[in-house]
Amino acid sequence: MSKQFIVNSTNYETRLAVLEEGNVVEIYIERKKERGYVGNIYKGRVTKVLPGMQAAFLDIGTEKAGFLYVDDICDDAEAYREFLETEESVFNNNVEESELVEIETEPQFLKERKKRSNVQIEDLLKDGQELLVQVARDPIGTKGPRLTSYISLPGRYLVLMPTVKHIGVSRKIEDRYERMRLKTIVEDLNKSNYGYIVRTVSEGKDEEEFISDMDFLTKLWKSISEKAEKRHSPGLIHSDLDLILRSIRDMLTMDVERVLIDSKKDYERCLKFVREFLPHYEDRIHHYESNEPIFDAFGIEVEIDKALGKKVWLKSGGYIVIDETEALVSIDVNTGRYVGKKNLQDTILKTNLEAVKEIAYQIRLRNIGGIIIIDFIDMQKEENREKVYKALEYEVSKDRIKTNILKISELGLIQMTRKRVRESLSKILCQPCEYCEGRGMVKSVDTVFFDILRKITRELSRVPHKKIMISVHPSIADKFYEEENHIIEDLEKTYHKKLVIKTDFDCHLEEYDIMTM
């Protein structure tokens, strides 16, 4: 299956879309002021130990305190107290969403740790204690970032686990002899006795690639350790790569035909990164030079707008309704305008099977996680239920995120879970609606602001007028004048035109008017 990465990059926001056979299947968004924390390493200070929850809160210098479960810290109190002195770290279960199921076998020390159920968090941590932690999951909703002391450093071909003497091989490398070959290479090269996970992209690679990766990761860990010794808590010790370089490192494989970037600066930066670490992929990095915005050219803006709606129409005339709540996501299947031909059960089966493909697609595109309940149209025949279940299983298997599906119940419901690794698309792009007291969703101030900027940029490049007036909601006007006033100055200098922002107190948050003068 051919893939493309389409990257829209500006000074304030980066968006990356993954296309498979021309269809948008994944959207990643990173705003400069709201960069995620996953993979970042902090020197934190324990602020509260909660024996009743077997967890602790740590101040790591971010807006919300991070939380650390007892299972995510070493179960040997004495060894843990010596953690910083010996410059040791341990295995991180949350390396990356695409690697979560890729470890060949569970390391022995993890098995032993599970057996020691009598270890209490109060025996391991005390208020005021300092320790090195890594963010395993970004803040979601009201929850702060989830932390782990099992630090791991992902490279292109390997993931370094600094103090774990275990070599794992990706489960996605199915050939037994290839797995043995890769494990032997890493074991022979591993002079430092660190632990490693051999990643999926390592298949077919030789010693040179592993030597380079080990060199880089070892130096990186040494640098992190030295920095941690000198720095007081709380504070950031090491931050992961940004969205573009992280995606190149983790997802650029042979089935990716090209990476198309509209920013000249980011294109050159990406090209430099690829030349240094992935030279054989250099010819796949391209700069997009057309005047038409890149997300418009590939129909991605339209797909993003559709992904924010609750109702999705099916080709047959049926539709699905997706409703995200705090506890779970419900998806309802309806026949809509589709009335079938003669047999009611055939009509229902056809609608349900068509809905399966769209549901799997929407779950992936919207990045829906947690508990998902799908209400299919009730099917009387057991064989029809099995067909729908198998079809959903197949479609979901294309997803990189771990899912678990239960059989269709007597009520026609399917219960499934999808690992929640980051906020859903609607949570990133929208905020609770102030007009309906939080019962619905509207685009956030930032999202509308960026929409307007894109529209202004189009207008400035094609209209001859010297002055453009934008009438906007007061919240958007405040953002233009107070937080992002430099953007107006930059646009005026670039296009030699005057921009005037007018506040309209009767305007809906999502509404705006651009007038040329």
Side-chain angles (χ1 to χ4, degrees), residues 156-168:
R156 172 60 178 175
Y157 302 108
L158 300 169
V159 176
L160 171 66
M161 304 173 291
T163 62
V164 179
K165 297 177 182 179
H166 172 79
I167 307 298

PDB file of all heavy atoms in Angstrom, residues 156-168:
ATOM      1  N   ARG A 156      16.498   5.279  15.143  1.00  0.00           N
ATOM      2  CA  ARG A 156      15.865   4.842  13.905  1.00  0.00           C
ATOM      3  C   ARG A 156      15.642   3.342  13.906  1.00  0.00           C
ATOM      4  O   ARG A 156      14.569   2.857  13.569  1.00  0.00           O
ATOM      5  CB  ARG A 156      16.750   5.255  12.717  1.00  0.00           C
ATOM      6  CG  ARG A 156      16.310   4.706  11.367  1.00  0.00           C
ATOM      7  CD  ARG A 156      14.917   5.160  10.979  1.00  0.00           C
ATOM      8  NE  ARG A 156      14.543   4.666   9.675  1.00  0.00           N
ATOM      9  CZ  ARG A 156      13.348   4.828   9.131  1.00  0.00           C
ATOM     10  NH1 ARG A 156      12.405   5.477   9.770  1.00  0.00           N
ATOM     11  NH2 ARG A 156      13.085   4.338   7.933  1.00  0.00           N
ATOM     12  N   TYR A 157      16.646   2.581  14.278  1.00  0.00           N
ATOM     13  CA  TYR A 157      16.579   1.117  14.197  1.00  0.00           C
ATOM     14  C   TYR A 157      16.475   0.450  15.569  1.00  0.00           C
ATOM     15  O   TYR A 157      16.067  -0.704  15.662  1.00  0.00           O
ATOM     16  CB  TYR A 157      17.814   0.578  13.468  1.00  0.00           C
ATOM     17  CG  TYR A 157      17.974   1.134  12.084  1.00  0.00           C
ATOM     18  CD1 TYR A 157      18.979   2.053  11.783  1.00  0.00           C
ATOM     19  CD2 TYR A 157      17.097   0.778  11.068  1.00  0.00           C
ATOM     20  CE1 TYR A 157      19.109   2.588  10.510  1.00  0.00           C
ATOM     21  CE2 TYR A 157      17.223   1.306   9.791  1.00  0.00           C
ATOM     22  CZ  TYR A 157      18.226   2.207   9.516  1.00  0.00           C
ATOM     23  OH  TYR A 157      18.353   2.733   8.263  1.00  0.00           O
ATOM     24  N   LEU A 158      16.867   1.164  16.601  1.00  0.00           N
ATOM     25  CA  LEU A 158      16.891   0.593  17.952  1.00  0.00           C
ATOM     26  C   LEU A 158      16.229   1.529  18.943  1.00  0.00           C
ATOM     27  O   LEU A 158      16.148   2.731  18.721  1.00  0.00           O
ATOM     28  CB  LEU A 158      18.342   0.351  18.393  1.00  0.00           C
ATOM     29  CG  LEU A 158      19.207  -0.593  17.559  1.00  0.00           C
ATOM     30  CD1 LEU A 158      20.666  -0.480  17.989  1.00  0.00           C
ATOM     31  CD2 LEU A 158      18.721  -2.037  17.688  1.00  0.00           C
ATOM     32  N   VAL A 159      15.779   0.963  20.048  1.00  0.00           N
ATOM     33  CA  VAL A 159      15.346   1.744  21.193  1.00  0.00           C
ATOM     34  C   VAL A 159      16.280   1.376  22.342  1.00  0.00           C
ATOM     35  O   VAL A 159      16.404   0.199  22.696  1.00  0.00           O
ATOM     36  CB  VAL A 159      13.883   1.440  21.580  1.00  0.00           C
ATOM     37  CG1 VAL A 159      13.502   2.197  22.841  1.00  0.00           C
ATOM     38  CG2 VAL A 159      12.939   1.802  20.447  1.00  0.00           C
ATOM     39  N   LEU A 160      16.954   2.371  22.893  1.00  0.00           N
ATOM     40  CA  LEU A 160      17.905   2.138  23.980  1.00  0.00           C
ATOM     41  C   LEU A 160      17.199   2.116  25.330  1.00  0.00           C
ATOM     42  O   LEU A 160      16.400   2.998  25.641  1.00  0.00           O
ATOM     43  CB  LEU A 160      18.969   3.244  23.981  1.00  0.00           C
ATOM     44  CG  LEU A 160      19.917   3.274  25.190  1.00  0.00           C
ATOM     45  CD1 LEU A 160      20.791   2.031  25.221  1.00  0.00           C
ATOM     46  CD2 LEU A 160      20.765   4.536  25.180  1.00  0.00           C
ATOM     47  N   MET A 161      17.489   1.079  26.130  1.00  0.00           N
ATOM     48  CA  MET A 161      17.010   0.979  27.506  1.00  0.00           C
ATOM     49  C   MET A 161      18.260   0.918  28.389  1.00  0.00           C
ATOM     50  O   MET A 161      18.866  -0.141  28.540  1.00  0.00           O
ATOM     51  CB  MET A 161      16.148  -0.273  27.666  1.00  0.00           C
ATOM     52  CG  MET A 161      14.984  -0.329  26.682  1.00  0.00           C
ATOM     53  SD  MET A 161      14.062  -1.878  26.721  1.00  0.00           S
ATOM     54  CE  MET A 161      15.282  -3.011  26.031  1.00  0.00           C
ATOM     55  N   PRO A 162      18.687   2.041  28.954  1.00  0.00           N
ATOM     56  CA  PRO A 162      20.022   2.177  29.518  1.00  0.00           C
ATOM     57  C   PRO A 162      20.475   1.149  30.541  1.00  0.00           C
ATOM     58  O   PRO A 162      21.669   0.855  30.602  1.00  0.00           O
ATOM     59  CB  PRO A 162      19.997   3.583  30.129  1.00  0.00           C
ATOM     60  CG  PRO A 162      18.989   4.313  29.325  1.00  0.00           C
ATOM     61  CD  PRO A 162      17.948   3.303  28.984  1.00  0.00           C
ATOM     62  N   THR A 163      19.615   0.605  31.391  1.00  0.00           N
ATOM     63  CA  THR A 163      20.103  -0.319  32.428  1.00  0.00           C
ATOM     64  C   THR A 163      19.465  -1.695  32.377  1.00  0.00           C
ATOM     65  O   THR A 163      19.615  -2.484  33.298  1.00  0.00           O
ATOM     66  CB  THR A 163      19.873   0.273  33.830  1.00  0.00           C
ATOM     67  OG1 THR A 163      18.478   0.458  34.030  1.00  0.00           O
ATOM     68  CG2 THR A 163      20.595   1.593  34.005  1.00  0.00           C
ATOM     69  N   VAL A 164      18.732  -1.974  31.328  1.00  0.00           N
ATOM     70  CA  VAL A 164      18.050  -3.271  31.221  1.00  0.00           C
ATOM     71  C   VAL A 164      18.832  -4.180  30.288  1.00  0.00           C
ATOM     72  O   VAL A 164      19.032  -3.859  29.129  1.00  0.00           O
ATOM     73  CB  VAL A 164      16.612  -3.092  30.701  1.00  0.00           C
ATOM     74  CG1 VAL A 164      15.941  -4.438  30.573  1.00  0.00           C
ATOM     75  CG2 VAL A 164      15.829  -2.187  31.619  1.00  0.00           C
ATOM     76  N   LYS A 165      19.270  -5.287  30.790  1.00  0.00           N
ATOM     77  CA  LYS A 165      20.061  -6.214  29.973  1.00  0.00           C
ATOM     78  C   LYS A 165      19.135  -7.178  29.230  1.00  0.00           C
ATOM     79  O   LYS A 165      19.097  -8.377  29.500  1.00  0.00           O
ATOM     80  CB  LYS A 165      21.045  -6.982  30.859  1.00  0.00           C
ATOM     81  CG  LYS A 165      22.060  -6.068  31.531  1.00  0.00           C
ATOM     82  CD  LYS A 165      22.975  -6.844  32.459  1.00  0.00           C
ATOM     83  CE  LYS A 165      23.947  -5.899  33.165  1.00  0.00           C
ATOM     84  NZ  LYS A 165      24.840  -6.619  34.084  1.00  0.00           N
ATOM     85  N   HIS A 166      18.395  -6.628  28.303  1.00  0.00           N
ATOM     86  CA  HIS A 166      17.445  -7.442  27.539  1.00  0.00           C
ATOM     87  C   HIS A 166      17.439  -6.964  26.097  1.00  0.00           C
ATOM     88  O   HIS A 166      17.388  -5.767  25.829  1.00  0.00           O
ATOM     89  CB  HIS A 166      16.036  -7.306  28.114  1.00  0.00           C
ATOM     90  CG  HIS A 166      14.991  -7.966  27.257  1.00  0.00           C
ATOM     91  ND1 HIS A 166      14.764  -9.317  27.252  1.00  0.00           N
ATOM     92  CD2 HIS A 166      14.125  -7.434  26.351  1.00  0.00           C
ATOM     93  CE1 HIS A 166      13.804  -9.591  26.382  1.00  0.00           C
ATOM     94  NE2 HIS A 166      13.398  -8.469  25.834  1.00  0.00           N
ATOM     95  N   ILE A 167      17.536  -7.894  25.159  1.00  0.00           N
ATOM     96  CA  ILE A 167      17.454  -7.573  23.737  1.00  0.00           C
ATOM     97  C   ILE A 167      16.135  -8.117  23.209  1.00  0.00           C
ATOM     98  O   ILE A 167      15.902  -9.331  23.224  1.00  0.00           O
ATOM     99  CB  ILE A 167      18.625  -8.192  22.933  1.00  0.00           C
ATOM    100  CG1 ILE A 167      19.970  -7.819  23.554  1.00  0.00           C
ATOM    101  CG2 ILE A 167      18.545  -7.742  21.478  1.00  0.00           C
ATOM    102  CD1 ILE A 167      20.270  -6.344  23.572  1.00  0.00           C
ATOM    103  N   GLY A 168      15.245  -7.232  22.774  1.00  0.00           N
ATOM    104  CA  GLY A 168      13.961  -7.637  22.206  1.00  0.00           C
ATOM    105  C   GLY A 168      13.934  -7.362  20.715  1.00  0.00           C
ATOM    106  O   GLY A 168      14.628  -6.472  20.225  1.00  0.00           O
TER     107      GLY A 168
END
